[in-house]
């Protein structure tokens, strides 16, 4: 297991490039299952979740090869079984269910367990696929699904689930007739998936709104497609500029998709401006506390909650953070407190009282974004911070120590 060693207190300066969005690339890689002929994807980030997905796809008979930032896939010899060994590593593996049902009429995928940030059921994925005609049974911890053929239907999601919307959307593009997804997720990653499917010949309207309409087609054809840049990685580097009192130009930053984050960081005293070269981030005055509630898009993303809390730890006054999406997404709090932060948690609400400095300490990442937030805290803290279990962070950030090192951070990776 690797850890990161950070000597904090260096204001970050320079330019950083943002790669493709992991959460857009994942469903699009799974969507290649639906397509006849080769698919060439550009801007696929080199993160561990992508490595895991390519391994799963190969395991179910989809040819995949990486050529630099591109991945070429060809779903030639599919079979419908996704093993627990891979699914347990990454919950997003359940995104193979819709495509395999649509393509083969069968799927057997291990049921993912709970995860660190909450129970995270997949009931809405299954209900949606059932509305299209699939039947599911549990056997030996695996979800076994089958269908004669999929038929379009109205699918209403009780909650706008990102993965659920993606799974049902992928099944619907090859279903007979029209499917309407109501209360669908509006996240930019869902839109990117829909745009990719449309580029392969799917008939989809309304992506980015809460009602997506799909007219089924009999087959999809391969195409070349570029994945959108990662808004969460970009947001993390904006906070890195603010928390170290540095000045960072974030290139390839999806400014419009990051609006709720940009507005919150500005209200906390950061100056964030769009320039022709990228988005320039620095402090515009002292950091001030702010309140935030995580919400489905276009609200404040839960995937930026922990990183923003790192900034709040050093802001004047109090901040209140309400996590409305996941029930257990404050595991970074006790670790921040080990560094001198003052935070109290009551249920899904955390109260942060700003302190004037954080002190380096050994801390442990217990999930992806919480781990990134500990790295941010370490960059600002005095002395040495060790962030253990950095494999969580590697799931979603490409070579984070190289990118931060390029901005002047004193950071290195070591084997435990
Ligand atoms: C995706 C993102 C994740 C992000 C999250 C919320 C990927 C690979 N992951 O996760 O980074 O934090 O969106 O923006 O894109 N729910 C149910 N039943 C279901 C499905 C979801 O009750 O069948 C609940 C969840 O427990 C959660 C809420 O719905 O409380 C939202 O979850 P969802 O949008 O599905 O998150 P993911 O797709 O898992």
């Amino acid at each position: 297991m690797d850890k990161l060693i950070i000597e904090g207190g260096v204001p970050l300066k320079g330019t950083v490039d943002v790669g493709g969005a992991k959460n857009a690339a994942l469903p699009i890689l799974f969507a290649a299952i639906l397509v006849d002929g080769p698919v060439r994807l550009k801007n696929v980030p080199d993160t561990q979740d992508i490595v895991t997905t390519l391994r799963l796809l190969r395991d179910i008979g989809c040819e995949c090869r990486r050529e630099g930032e591109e991945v070429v896939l060809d779903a030639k010899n599919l079979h419908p079984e996704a093993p627990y060994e891979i699914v347990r590593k990454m919950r997003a593996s359940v995104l193979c269910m819709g495509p395999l049902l649509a393509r083969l009429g069968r799927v057997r995928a291990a049921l993912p367990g709970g995860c660190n940030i909450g129970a995270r059921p997949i009931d809405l994925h299954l209900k949606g696929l059932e509305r299209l005609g699939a039947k599911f049974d549990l056997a030996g911890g695996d979800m076994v699904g089958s269908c004669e053929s999929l038929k379009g239907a109205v699918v209403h999601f009780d909650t706008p689930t990102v993965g659920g919307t993606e799974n049902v959307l992928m099944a619907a593009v090859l279903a007979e007739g029209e499917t309407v997804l109501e209360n669908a997720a509006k996240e930019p990653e869902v839109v990117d998936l829909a745009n990719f499917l449309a580029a392969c010949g799917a008939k989809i309207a309304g992506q980015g709104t809460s009602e997506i309409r799909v007219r089924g087609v009999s087959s999809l054809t391969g195409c070349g497609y570029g994945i959108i840049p990662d808004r969460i990685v970009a947001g993390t580097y904006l906070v890195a500029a603010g928390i170290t009192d540095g000045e960072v130009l974030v290139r390839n930053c999806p400014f419009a998709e990051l609006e709720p984050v940009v507005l919150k960081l500005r209200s906390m005293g950061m100056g964030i401006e769009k320039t022709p070269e990228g988005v320039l981030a620095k402090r515009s005055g002292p950091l001030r506390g702010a309140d935030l509630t995580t919400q489905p898009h276009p609200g404040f993303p839960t995937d930026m909650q922990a990183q923003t809390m790192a900034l709040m730890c050093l802001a004047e006054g109090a901040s209140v953070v309400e996590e409305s999406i996941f029930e257990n997404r404050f595991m970074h709090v006790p670790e921040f407190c080990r560094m001198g932060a003052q935070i109290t948690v009551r249920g899904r609400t955390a109260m942060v009282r700003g302190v004037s400095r954080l002190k380096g300490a050994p801390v442990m990442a217990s999930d992806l974004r919480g781990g990134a937030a500990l790295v941010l805290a370490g960059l600002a803290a005095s002395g040495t911070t060790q962030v253990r279990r950095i494999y969580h962070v590697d799931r979603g950030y490409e070579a984070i120590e190289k990118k931060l090192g390029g901005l002047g951070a004193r950071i290195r990776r070591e084997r435990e």
Side-chain angles (χ1 to χ4, degrees):
M1 253 187 278
D2 290 357
K3 60 183 175 184
L4 289 180
I5 318 284
I6 305 164
E7 307 289 336
V10 182
L12 299 190
K13 292 223 155 57
T15 302
V16 67
D17 288 309
V18 175
K22 163 188 94 82
N23 284 353
L26 290 178
I28 291 177
L29 288 169
F30 283 111
I33 294 174
L34 295 162
V35 180
D36 282 326
V39 167
R40 181 174 282 273
L41 299 176
K42 298 186 186 62
N43 210 25
V44 179
D46 194 8
T47 68
Q48 276 310 309
D49 271 5
I50 300 294
V51 172
T52 306
T53 302
L54 295 179
R55 193 177 314 148
L56 176 57
L57 286 169
R58 281 190 198 105
D59 207 85
I60 58 176
C62 179
E63 281 176 14
C64 329
R65 61 172 197 280
R66 207 179 228 294
E67 296 174 1
E69 277 188 355
E70 296 192 2
V71 173
V72 184
L73 305 108
D74 199 346
K76 271 185 180 156
N77 303 302
L78 290 171
H79 70 87
E81 294 185 13
Y84 180 59
E85 233 2 80
I86 302 182
V87 175
R88 75 180 175 85
K89 286 204 173 123
M90 191 188 68
R91 295 185 49 81
S93 305
V94 298
L95 292 174
C96 71
M97 296 178 87
L100 283 173
L101 272 172
R103 204 71 205 280
L104 302 177
R106 295 179 291 147
V107 61
R108 179 175 184 128
L111 201 58
C115 85
N116 297 351
I117 62 175
R120 299 183 82 180
I122 58 161
D123 56 319
L124 302 176
H125 300 228
L126 301 178
K127 267 190 211 156
L129 294 170
E130 279 170 351
R131 290 281 302 154
L132 302 187
K135 295 209 165 19
F136 289 98
D137 234 332
L138 193 60
D142 292 349
M143 201 38 89
V144 183
S146 61
C147 60
E148 291 287 312
S149 63
L150 293 176
K151 289 205 171 50
V154 175
V155 176
H156 181 89
F157 293 103
D158 295 342
T159 292
T161 155
V162 173
T165 302
E166 292 167 344
N167 229 339
V168 181
L169 173 63
M170 288 190 277
V173 291
L174 291 184
E176 210 184 302
E178 194 182 42
T179 299
V180 183
L181 306 182
E182 293 178 351
N183 200 22
K186 296 184 274 200
E187 268 66 5
E189 294 77 17
V190 176
V191 175
D192 207 32
L193 169 65
N195 291 347
F196 164 72
L197 291 166
C200 296
K203 302 272 175 265
I204 305 174
Q207 57 267 43
T209 75
S210 55
E211 186 176 290
I212 304 178
R213 287 180 174 267
V214 184
R215 183 156 289 285
V217 295
S218 55
S219 64
L220 298 179
T221 18
C223 70
Y225 189 82
I227 309 283
I228 53 168
D230 197 310
R231 63 193 167 110
I232 305 301
V233 169
T236 304
Y237 289 123
L238 297 181
V239 175
I243 203 165
T244 62
D245 200 3
E247 184 169 334
V248 175
L249 179 72
V250 183
R251 275 200 300 226
N252 208 20
C253 177
F255 194 71
E257 288 77 7
L258 260 176
E259 192 181 12
V261 175
V262 168
L263 294 178
K264 189 59 64 182
L265 297 180
R266 279 185 184 150
S267 80
M268 293 181 68
M270 280 191 66
I272 301 178
E273 296 311 326
K274 196 166 182 242
T275 75
E277 293 78 38
V279 173
L280 188 64
K282 57 185 176 187
R283 277 191 204 170
S284 60
L287 291 176
R288 297 181 295 271
D291 297 343
L292 78 80
T293 302
T294 61
Q295 297 282 354
H297 192 74
F300 191 94
T302 172
D303 282 357
M304 277 300 296
Q305 179 255 106
Q307 302 90 314
T308 310
M309 194 190 284
L311 195 62
M312 291 168 170
C313 290
L314 288 166
E316 274 171 24
S319 302
V320 176
V321 177
E322 190 189 345
E323 174 55 61
S324 79
I325 309 287
F326 293 111
E327 65 267 33
N328 184 29
R329 208 172 194 178
F330 287 140
M331 280 98 54
H332 40 282
V333 166
E335 305 299 305
F336 281 157
C337 292
R338 288 174 50 74
M339 301 177 73
Q342 289 198 7
I343 309 172
T344 322
V345 174
R346 296 258 186 285
R348 288 193 181 198
T349 304
M351 156 80 88
V352 185
R353 292 181 178 84
V355 295
S356 58
R357 67 182 185 130
L358 293 172
K359 295 181 199 153
V363 291
M364 189 108 79
S366 49
D367 71 306
L368 166 54
R369 308 303 172 186
L374 292 172
V375 172
L376 293 172
L379 292 171
S382 58
T384 307
T385 297
Q386 291 192 15
V387 185
R388 298 198 165 128
R389 300 208 174 161
I390 208 69
Y391 67 88
H392 286 293
V393 179
D394 293 334
R395 287 183 39 221
Y397 291 81
E398 288 178 284
I400 193 168
E401 75 276 18
K402 292 207 181 86
K403 297 221 172 178
L404 291 170
L407 297 172
R410 287 176 300 200
I411 180 168
R412 64 180 195 279
R413 182 179 289 257
E414 271 184 15
R415 282 211 167 274
E416 292 229 50

